[in-house]
Amino acid sequence: MKPPAGWTLAWADEFDVDGLPDSCAAFHRYQMLWTDSDIRFGIDGIEHLAYPRLDAGAAGAARVWPFDGPQFLLLDVAIGGDLDGPVDDSIFPVTMEVDYVRVHQEPKAG
């Protein structure tokens, strides 16, 4: 798997790049750390992807960082599309079980 230009992708040895083998059988902690300089994603405390802010400095002046405005958190069961073939309707109804969602915001300096 090759990340987009500017991204860093660090798969830990114990992480299956095809997904979490027990993603439907066990709870996992999914993290997103959003700072002024980057956004980092992880699963169970292991960072897997970093998206750096690329619009800083003269070289990045034309690039856009769309994450300074209001954002929304969406939890969703996305089913369909062309990734894995047609959806078998016998799987319905489906459930997404969420134990908790935490959102933290660092206080602004000053």
Side-chain angles (χ1 to χ4, degrees):
M1 171 183 245
K2 185 173 169 78
W7 292 46
T8 58
L9 189 58
W11 296 105
D13 290 339
E14 64 272 9
F15 185 77
D16 175 8
V17 296
D18 292 325
L20 291 171
D22 64 348
S23 63
C24 294
F27 283 105
H28 292 278
R29 293 181 305 122
Y30 299 88
Q31 299 89 34
M32 183 180 82
L33 176 61
W34 177 2
T35 69
D36 289 336
S37 61
D38 62 11
I39 299 176
R40 298 177 176 276
F41 300 90
I43 301 172
D44 295 330
I46 300 169
E47 183 180 302
H48 295 285
L49 179 70
Y51 179 68
R53 184 172 189 150
L54 299 174
D55 66 345
R63 296 185 176 166
V64 176
W65 179 256
F67 306 112
D68 286 335
Q71 303 291 315
F72 301 90
L73 177 64
L74 175 66
L75 305 177
D76 147 344
V77 177
I79 299 175
D82 296 329
L83 293 177
D84 202 22
V87 175
D88 178 0
D89 287 339
S90 69
I91 68 168
F92 295 106
V94 297
T95 302
M96 179 173 71
E97 202 172 332
V98 177
D99 188 30
Y100 62 88
V101 174
R102 291 184 186 164
V103 177
H104 301 274
Q105 183 173 355
E106 293 288 328
K108 292 288 182 185

